[in-house]
């Protein structure tokens, strides 16, 4: 049973995942704080919603198919950790040509994603 805070955390991460899978950059960006920070391990990759829109907008536009699934999820307060499987295709027939498993740790603040740390 999730607390109210945990329910809000799950809701925003699920909205983000749905927008990602729909390759909807506006809906995707709407789930993030203006000063969002994206990390790979302990290294800051980029900061800010504008950079997020530029990077993910290009990614969404370049792929015919993009889908991420949470295989395992842990939630504690405003923190959510997913073990995700992300698949994508550059082919017109949408045949998956890239697949990766990653751990994504989300930190939510004021009902927006404030920080994501990717591991793997």
């Amino acid at each position: 049973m999730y607390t109210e805070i945990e329910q809000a955390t799950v809701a925003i991460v699920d909205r983000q995942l749905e927008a990602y899978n729909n390759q909807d950059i506006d809906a995707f960006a709407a789930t993030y704080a203006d000063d969002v920070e994206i990390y790979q391990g302990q290294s800051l990759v980029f900061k800010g919603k504008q950079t997020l829109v530029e990077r993910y907008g290009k990614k969404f536009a370049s792929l015919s198919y993009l889908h991420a699934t949470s295989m395992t999820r842990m939630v504690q307060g405003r923190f959510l950790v997913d073990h995700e499987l992300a698949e994508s295709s550059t082919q017109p027939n949408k045949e998956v040509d890239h697949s990766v498993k990653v751990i994504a740790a989300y930190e939510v603040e004021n009902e927006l994603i404030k920080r994501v740390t990717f591991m793997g």
Side-chain angles (χ1 to χ4, degrees):
M1 189 76 184
Y2 290 136
T3 66
E4 192 174 320
I5 291 170
E6 290 167 343
Q7 288 173 6
T9 298
V10 168
I12 194 67
V13 172
D14 282 350
R15 276 197 3 234
Q16 176 264 165
L17 195 58
E18 181 180 356
Y20 179 90
N21 290 341
N22 290 329
Q23 294 170 260
D24 182 339
I25 192 60
D26 293 330
F28 183 75
T31 64
Y32 287 89
D34 289 341
D35 59 348
V36 62
E37 296 175 346
I38 307 294
Y39 288 83
Q40 180 65 48
Q42 294 183 349
S43 300
L44 178 65
V45 177
F46 68 87
K47 183 176 181 173
K49 189 186 286 194
Q50 185 58 42
T51 303
L52 177 124
V53 168
E54 291 166 9
R55 286 179 171 237
Y56 281 88
K58 287 179 186 174
K59 180 178 185 172
F60 291 177
S62 71
L63 298 170
S64 61
Y65 175 77
L66 184 62
H67 193 268
T69 305
S70 172
M71 299 183 304
T72 307
R73 175 172 279 179
M74 295 184 297
V75 184
Q76 179 74 40
R78 60 190 188 91
F79 298 95
L80 184 149
V81 178
D82 269 347
H83 186 206
E84 297 177 352
L85 172 64
E87 298 177 313
S88 62
S89 177
T90 57
Q91 307 303 312
N93 65 359
K94 300 184 180 183
E95 183 177 335
V96 172
D97 56 14
H98 185 73
S99 179
V100 64
K101 290 181 182 175
V102 64
I103 295 171
Y106 299 90
E107 181 179 349
V108 174
E109 188 175 275
N110 299 320
E111 298 185 12
L112 293 172
I113 299 168
K114 171 74 172 174
R115 176 179 297 163
V116 184
T117 303
F118 294 104
M119 296 161 269

